[in-house]
Amino acid sequence: MTSSLEKQFVFVVGAPRSGTTWLHRMLAEHPSVASLNAELTLFSSYVARVLAQFDKETYHRKRGDWKQGLPLLFTQEEFDSGIRKLTGMTYDRVLAKAPGASHILDKHPGYSLHIPVIDRVLPNSRFIHILRDGREVAVSMMSAKKRIGFGEGEIRGAAEAWATHVRKAMAEGHKLGPSRYMEVRYEELMERPERILNEIFDFAGLPLPETEILRIATEHAIDKKQVSRGDITLNELRKVPGAIWRNKLSLEERWTMDRMVGDLLVELGFAKPGWWVLKASDKLQMAGYPALKKIGNILGSAKHIISYPLVKRLEP
């Protein structure tokens, strides 16, 4: 059997709850694609960590700080070659499910943070970055935490996770250039699935007849086939742009998210300055919020100190 390393690799990246699974499932419908209906997490959970440790030990060894680790036995080229072999063994098993495939497809939101690592190991890779309005991503993250115990459960963590994944993927993807990196809007894929899917398949080097693209788009419409354990209670709101965050984010959450990642929302065209204000009283209501929040934090800390057992405070 041909080695998987000789195939064209396509990776779907994006922040958690941005539609990576949905897009992955549609791309996997192509007859020339080998893929698993699951997340391998090969680079985010394994390869990136191992390479980071090897690089760290190499750096300190060259400086004369340390004399330890595998750099004592392997050069970087030798170690990278070993990692590449392990990667090939992994994807050989994926390819075995579709031996005639010309492309191997994989996805995981964590890959957004490790594009340089993937490129280092598999320089013949292409990346499709699906971008979704961070406000709706935050709603989905917090919903997933409540329903299935996965992801960020409050607005600050959700906003930070969205921005970190998006900024990292964009920064590293743009370095690769348009022949290897493509950005897709979740909202556009929802509104014009056939047109956007056609562009995605062409970018991946996987052209399909229009009839096949229509079939894939129709069969994978979110209101017909829910994936990634999405919140079905949001399906009606999905039909109206902006309805999810307008209905599900509180005033305090909107205000907090704007101060954390409002610049990125505006930069990407998802929002306009002042988007968090939905009615005239919102600004007035939040005018004293920072001071009240600070006082609340101080009182909370004082309460913790006071309630802490005296014997514990007196222990050396």
Side-chain angles (χ1 to χ4, degrees):
M1 185 179 72
T2 304
S3 169
S4 60
L5 296 179
E6 299 175 23
K7 303 297 183 178
Q8 173 66 61
F9 283 86
V10 178
F11 291 92
V12 175
V13 301
R17 316 306 300 179
S18 291
T20 55
T21 299
W22 178 42
L23 178 54
H24 175 269
R25 298 281 175 85
M26 289 192 283
L27 289 174
E29 287 282 318
H30 197 287
S32 295
V33 166
S35 182
L36 290 184
N37 192 17
E39 296 177 332
L40 287 175
T41 72
L42 174 62
F43 290 96
S44 48
S45 297
Y46 301 94
V47 174
R49 298 182 183 185
V50 172
L51 286 179
Q53 181 63 23
F54 185 85
D55 291 347
K56 179 181 179 180
E57 290 177 338
T58 298
Y59 170 78
H60 285 287
R61 181 171 179 269
K62 288 180 177 179
R63 281 172 48 97
D65 302 332
W66 297 353
K67 192 176 181 181
Q68 68 177 45
L70 293 184
L72 294 172
L73 300 174
F74 300 98
T75 65
Q76 179 178 314
E77 292 74 19
E78 290 171 335
F79 195 78
D80 283 4
S81 176
I83 293 296
R84 195 168 292 112
K85 288 179 182 178
L86 175 62
T87 301
M89 291 171 61
T90 301
Y91 286 117
D92 281 347
R93 299 196 174 200
V94 176
L95 185 59
K97 298 182 177 299
S102 59
H103 289 57
I104 295 177
L105 174 69
D106 195 6
K107 82 96 185 175
H108 186 250
Y111 290 175
S112 306
L113 308 177
H114 301 295
I115 289 177
V117 172
I118 299 174
D119 180 51
R120 175 173 166 179
V121 178
L122 297 171
N124 57 325
S125 301
R126 295 176 186 173
F127 299 87
I128 303 169
H129 180 192
I130 183 165
L131 289 153
R132 185 182 183 187
D133 188 330
R135 298 167 293 187
E136 299 202 346
V137 168
V139 171
S140 185
M141 282 188 188
M142 293 188 290
S143 170
K145 183 66 173 181
K146 292 177 182 177
R147 291 180 295 107
I148 57 179
F150 168 80
E152 300 291 341
E154 47 80 33
I155 193 65
R156 297 187 67 85
E160 183 176 6
W162 172 75
T164 298
H165 284 76
V166 167
R167 286 182 171 130
K168 186 70 173 179
M170 290 181 67
E172 298 299 338
H174 289 159
K175 293 177 184 178
L176 298 177
S179 65
R180 296 186 57 206
Y181 173 76
M182 177 186 193
E183 290 175 358
V184 177
R185 296 295 177 110
Y186 173 94
E187 292 78 11
E188 291 182 357
L189 188 55
M190 285 277 290
E191 293 173 10
R192 298 184 293 278
E194 298 97 87
R195 175 185 167 185
I196 303 302
L197 271 180
N198 183 59
E199 294 174 0
I200 295 171
F201 276 117
D202 282 348
F203 165 80
L206 293 163
L208 270 180
E210 290 184 6
T211 52
E212 273 299 285
I213 292 178
L214 176 60
R215 177 190 67 79
I216 293 171
T218 301
E219 290 182 0
H220 289 79
I222 287 180
D223 58 352
K224 293 182 180 179
K225 185 179 289 188
Q226 200 85 25
V227 296
S228 193
R229 290 185 284 182
D231 189 345
I232 61 174
T233 67
L234 299 177
N235 284 352
E236 284 302 311
L237 294 175
R238 295 182 203 278
K239 299 175 183 179
V240 181
I244 291 178
W245 68 263
R246 286 173 179 269
N247 283 273
K248 297 297 182 177
L249 290 181
S250 68
L251 172 57
E252 290 80 4
E253 289 172 333
R254 298 195 306 271
W255 181 90
T256 299
M257 190 163 192
D258 181 61
R259 273 143 188 79
M260 291 186 66
V261 300
D263 58 336
L264 185 58
L265 286 168
V266 172
E267 176 189 334
L268 295 177
F270 288 123
K272 294 181 179 180
W275 63 269
W276 63 275
V277 178
L278 298 184
K279 55 181 183 290
S281 61
D282 285 352
K283 278 190 175 182
L284 181 61
Q285 187 174 338
M286 295 304 295
Y289 183 76
L292 292 174
K293 187 73 173 176
K294 187 174 182 179
I295 292 172
N297 291 337
I298 293 173
L299 292 175
S301 298
K303 181 179 179 181
H304 175 73
I305 293 172
I306 293 170
S307 62
Y308 199 61
L310 179 60
V311 65
K312 290 290 185 182
R313 283 182 278 155
L314 295 177
E315 284 180 356

